[in-house]
């Protein structure tokens, strides 16, 4: 209890100091301003076509896809090799030029967007597959490879990428690793901390840290690659990764279930784990509000159960190696949960088109929300039993305001996506959400970032989830890896602590 | 190629400087010698019964179970709480007293044995289960809990520990985590980097780093707990862990197969992955020499195929949720590999006694080797196709010497255990093995420690697997976490680098 009070008081202090990193942080005066000689150096190293200074070309790189965060960078660089990244970083470190690495720019917390005039380092030019071993499923590739392209490539040889998410058509594997992306099948394949076998990263001073091995097991010293997973480009720029790809399941089944209340979704989950066991690969939920938004804003989305209105819907997926066995298991599960009244109505997708249709709803929620207008997005780990209470309490707090509160997420992982859709980003609306959402989560020992990361949105809120000695140790690690603090400044760690160093 | 040459030359330099950490390392003069006032302080903090100074009681703590490593510690401490660990470490840090954390003392590389007069910090007193959530399978417990006891406890509620190894009856979970233990079912449940949800550790200066959370997903800042996994107590003393336990499989099958040659073992593995898919939970191999040793030295071990003599044997295990489905899959697999001549003979265990009998052979190899006499043990990650060539080449190099060269291990993970059994530890015999084994492994980009760790045995050999900038960065991390170097000195990192700091 004492610890919790401490967390809350620490976090409250941070919030008082800097409510919004994106608006309140001030430019670190120790960073140099860009000069023509710098740009000329980069042209020499990278060639003219990979040095972007045109304002129109810079505009989409200075802004996130939600239109929530924006910076004023005057320069973006597109290196094509680790060696070029090393040269660029060594130069920036000498010159005290701040750097923001940017992959597919699909993040939700402003992690790859500059706050001021930081140089944008694009990883898109690092887009080569280095090797794939079709016996072990080990993929080695550069950081700028797009997730969906990789999945297609390994898929052709009977394997699948160990993660999948809505942004797969744009997001890059380097960004996935740097943000420890979770996604739809973490339940089955675990986190990237388990799947990534090796990383090549470049430190702020240009040192190449090469742990790009393909061994499933290696206990020689500290597992430094783990520090690059999820550190959002603040410790080094990930330039290549090796990953263990699981065999592609030959049998995939998806069912769509209508459930009367949130307590029942958990009972269905427990039953799914019992009956489906090792073939359960996704267990996702969304509320009626999310479904309505998606049906309204996305074209081509069909309601699989048009005659059923209920507060909660589930998408349950199995992935296995035996079509007949898996089908029998899923049928048995569905019969049980329907007979016992846990599920009001349900349907099993009959072919790949229907599977895509059901997943289209779940994956489309985020896009539909964007179509509906500005969104305050929260991504929380909360004990499953209490997860939806936060949506209800938020809805209650905001009754009468012109907002729509929507809840969905990865129920199997205890990960809620709470979204508040509104007409415009508005400080008055925000006051109803923050710090309430963070305090509510901290009181339940949850995490204020399950999978999105902290970025600039929550850099000053880390204290809600991590105690001060842990944050202090993180700051020491940052100091050891990037003494001048040029890599992705104003992100992840609280500015108050970084400045105090 | 250049990189490889560099690795080899770096490693060779280390070897020239310090062939054997255990014999050639000299006591770091910066460490204080124990005084009576120190012992009195520890008695005040821990109580008399938890301060061990009796020579006979210290003897087994000063020596590893193989009788290969020994130290001269005059003091062992048995704290019962994290607070006590914190007080002990803060005191030792102030006094410059070196510390060796010791769990079940089942390690194979001298990682928990003092070299000189380091104080032994026993974790056995930290033996409480803190909580278990029977819905999510999340276990929180202190570091000194014994693996097998934990498995029994979570097993009673339908879950299983995510790792299993031969030493389960003695090894402690804190030691498992600190050494990133692999074991028999890594193939199925992945490494501890994926299963461990949180760690509580005490730094050298007594700071308690508390990330002991139970969330499946948390992306708030750097994942520092990962650094304590596999760092062998050199960055902090792990005092408690939280782990995700998978549901206990309701159907377990084991088969024992005789295979004509090593190339065929790999073909059988590929087929097992295809046919058994998600229920494959172990794929282990051993050679005829290993079998013979086990039958000779262990009582009660029965040869499951007494009429078949062949160079290689496999233990294949499935774990699933549907008895009928799993049995059908395994039967189908076995019929195929026997019809196609990959497997000369095979048997499926019919009950739990037969299952235990087959596992008893595989798990008994290490114990049988100990009964046979002194053993030089190597634990290597090598591309599977080349794995057994190392055993053959080593056997060839040592032809005529009074040794037995034995190969076994986790084929599914590419992890070979190469063992040279002899009459006594002998520098002449060793010359035939080292640096040959390390150079051979480095030439194939393997790891010189797949799962055992580096300890004192291989602290100076890290360069065979990790490039110099990576080792340098590890040294910086060590400096940040333990500036005075009191935690488990002479282990993991090369002394030449540690001294150079």
């Amino acid at each position: 209890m004492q610890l919790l009070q401490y967390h809350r008081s620490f976090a409250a202090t941070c919030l008082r100091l800097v409510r919004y990193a994106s608006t309140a942080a001030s430019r670190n005066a120790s960073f140099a301003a860009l000069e023509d000689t710098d740009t000329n150096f980069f042209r020499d190293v990278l060639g003219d076509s990979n040095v972007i200074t045109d304002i129109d070309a810079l505009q989409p790189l200075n802004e996130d896809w939600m239109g929530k965060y924006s910076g004023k960078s005057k320069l973006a660089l597109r290196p094509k090799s680790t060696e070029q990244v090393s040269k660029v970083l060594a130069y920036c470190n000498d010159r005290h030029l701040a750097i923001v690495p940017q992959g597919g720019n699909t993040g939700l917390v402003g992690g790859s967007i500059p706050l001021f005039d930081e140089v944008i380092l694009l990883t898109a030019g690092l887009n080569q597959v280095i090797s794939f071993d079709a016996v072990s499923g080990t993929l080695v590739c550069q950081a700028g490879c797009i997730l969906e392209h990789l999945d297609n490539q390994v898929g052709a040889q009977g394997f699948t990428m160990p993660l999948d998410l809505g942004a797969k058509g744009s997001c890059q594997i380097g960004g996935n690793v740097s943000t420890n992306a979770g996604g739809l099948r973490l339940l089955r394949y675990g986190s990237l901390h388990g799947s990534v076998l090796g990383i090549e990263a470049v430190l702020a001073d240009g040192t190449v840290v090469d742990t790009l091995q393909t061994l499933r097991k290696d206990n020689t010293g500290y597992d430094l690659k783990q520090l690059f997973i999820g550190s959002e480009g603040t410790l080094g720029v990930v330039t290549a990764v090796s990953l263990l790809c699981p065999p592609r399941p030959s049998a995939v089944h998806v069912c769509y279930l209508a459930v009367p209340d949130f307590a029942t979704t958990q009972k269905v989950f427990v039953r799914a784990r019992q009956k489906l066991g090792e073939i359960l690969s996704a267990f996702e939920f969304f509320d009626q509000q999310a479904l309505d938004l998606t049906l309204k804003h996305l074209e081509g989305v069909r309601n699989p159960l048009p005659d059923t209105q209920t507060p909660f819907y589930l998408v349950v997926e199995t992935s296995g190696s035996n079509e007949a066995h898996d089908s029998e298991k899923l049928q048995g599960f569905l019969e049980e949960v329907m007979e016992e009244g846990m599920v009001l109505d349900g349907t099993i997708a009959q072919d790949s088109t229907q599977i895509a249709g059901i997943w289209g709803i779940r994956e489309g929620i985020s896009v539909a929300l964007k179509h509906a207008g500005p969104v305050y997005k929260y991504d929380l780990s909360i004990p499953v039993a209490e997860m939806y209470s936060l949506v209800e309490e938020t809805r209650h707090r905001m009754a009468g305001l012109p907002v729509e509160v929507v809840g969905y997420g990865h129920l199997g992982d205890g990960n809620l996506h709470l979204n508040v859709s509104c007409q415009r980003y508005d400080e008055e609306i925000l006051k109803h959400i923050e710090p309430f959402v963070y305090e509510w989560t901290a009181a339940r020992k949850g995490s204020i970032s399950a999978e999105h990361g902290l970025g600039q949105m929550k850099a000053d809120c880390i204290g809600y989830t991590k105690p001060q000695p842990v944050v202090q140790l993180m700051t020491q690690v940052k100091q050891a890896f990037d003494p001048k603090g040029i890599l992705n400044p104003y992100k992840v760690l609280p500015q108050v602590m970084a400045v105090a160093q």
Side-chain angles (χ1 to χ4, degrees), chain A residues 149-183:
Chain A
H149 298 179
L150 293 174
D151 194 52
N152 291 340
Q153 283 198 46
V154 304
Q157 298 195 64
F159 289 83
T160 185
M161 292 296 284
L163 79 164
D164 187 17
L165 55 159
K168 57 179 165 260
S170 313
C171 65
Q172 298 172 7
I173 191 68
N176 297 150
V177 168
S178 298
T179 58
N180 189 29

Side-chain angles (χ1 to χ4, degrees), chain A residues 19 32 42 113 115 154 183 193 205 222 257 270 294 317 321 343 363 415 427:
Chain A
R19 169 59 64 90
F42 296 128
I113 302 297
L115 266 81
V154 304
H193 286 288
D205 68 359
Y222 311 152
L257 310 175
V270 170
T294 307
E317 185 192 71
S321 59
V343 164
E363 294 188 80
N415 182 185
E427 195 68 20

Side-chain angles (χ1 to χ4, degrees), chain A residues 178-210:
Chain A
S178 298
T179 58
N180 189 29
L184 302 165
R185 287 183 191 85
L186 186 131
L187 179 67
R188 174 63 171 275
Y189 300 121
S191 92
L192 289 172
H193 286 288
S195 309
V196 171
L197 299 178
I199 282 179
E200 180 192 73
V202 183
L203 300 185
D205 68 359
T207 302
V208 178
V209 177
D210 177 7

Side-chain angles (χ1 to χ4, degrees), chain A residues 94 99 122 133 146 178 296 370 377 396 414 466 497:
Chain A
D94 280 347
I99 287 271
L122 301 168
D133 178 335
I146 289 176
S178 298
K296 181 176 170 189
K370 193 193 171 201
K377 298 181 93 72
H396 181 72
K466 293 280 161 64
M497 299 202 68

Side-chain angles (χ1 to χ4, degrees), chain A residues 102-351:
Chain A
Q102 188 175 101
N105 194 3
T106 62
L108 298 168
V109 291
S112 65
I113 302 297
L115 266 81
F116 304 101
D117 58 347
E118 300 94 289
V119 175
I120 300 171
L121 186 78
L122 301 168
T123 49
L126 302 160
N127 58 2
Q128 301 299 306
V129 170
I130 298 166
S131 68
F132 182 67
D133 178 335
V135 173
S136 64
T138 310
L139 171 71
V140 185
C141 66
Q142 287 187 297
C145 294
I146 289 176
L147 178 60
E148 192 168 43
H149 298 179
L150 293 174
D151 194 52
N152 291 340
Q153 283 198 46
V154 304
Q157 298 195 64
F159 289 83
T160 185
M161 292 296 284
L163 79 164
D164 187 17
L165 55 159
K168 57 179 165 260
S170 313
C171 65
Q172 298 172 7
I173 191 68
N176 297 150
V177 168
S178 298
T179 58
N180 189 29
L184 302 165
R185 287 183 191 85
L186 186 131
L187 179 67
R188 174 63 171 275
Y189 300 121
S191 92
L192 289 172
H193 286 288
S195 309
V196 171
L197 299 178
I199 282 179
E200 180 192 73
V202 183
L203 300 185
D205 68 359
T207 302
V208 178
V209 177
D210 177 7
T211 69
L212 200 63
Q213 56 197 20
T214 56
L215 308 167
R216 177 127 191 202
K217 293 163 82 171
D218 173 33
N219 278 355
T220 53
Y222 311 152
D223 197 353
L224 295 181
K225 72 169 183 287
Q226 302 287 355
L227 283 178
F228 297 107
I229 302 174
S231 56
E232 304 181 44
T234 62
L235 296 181
V237 176
V238 172
T239 47
V241 299
S242 64
L243 288 127
L244 189 65
C245 297
R248 203 167 195 87
S250 55
V252 175
H253 298 273
V254 172
C255 68
Y256 179 84
L257 310 175
V259 182
D261 52 62
F262 191 71
T264 305
T265 63
Q266 297 159 66
K267 290 181 192 158
V268 179
F269 176 55
V270 170
R271 191 63 61 90
R273 289 228 298 194
Q274 286 166 354
K275 300 295 288 185
L276 303 173
E278 61 281 357
I279 63 168
L280 181 64
S281 57
F283 196 98
E284 301 283 310
F285 92 101
F286 45 87
D287 59 17
Q288 179 70 49
Q289 291 81 352
L291 175 65
D292 289 347
L293 259 171
T294 307
L295 293 171
K296 181 176 170 189
H297 290 286
L298 291 194
E299 281 184 27
V301 171
R302 202 181 65 82
N303 187 348
L305 299 171
D307 302 327
T308 306
Q309 281 271 354
T310 190
F312 296 98
Y313 299 89
L314 299 173
V315 177
V316 182
E317 185 192 71
T318 66
S319 303
S321 59
N322 186 305
E323 180 63 36
H325 288 172
D326 295 3
S327 186
E328 192 185 320
K329 285 188 178 95
L330 187 61
Q331 287 284 354
F333 158 73
L334 198 56
E335 279 165 23
E336 270 193 21
V337 291
M338 291 189 75
E339 272 171 22
E340 294 179 30
M342 294 185 202
V343 164
L344 304 175
D345 200 359
T347 178
I348 296 180
Q350 296 304 313
D351 53 37

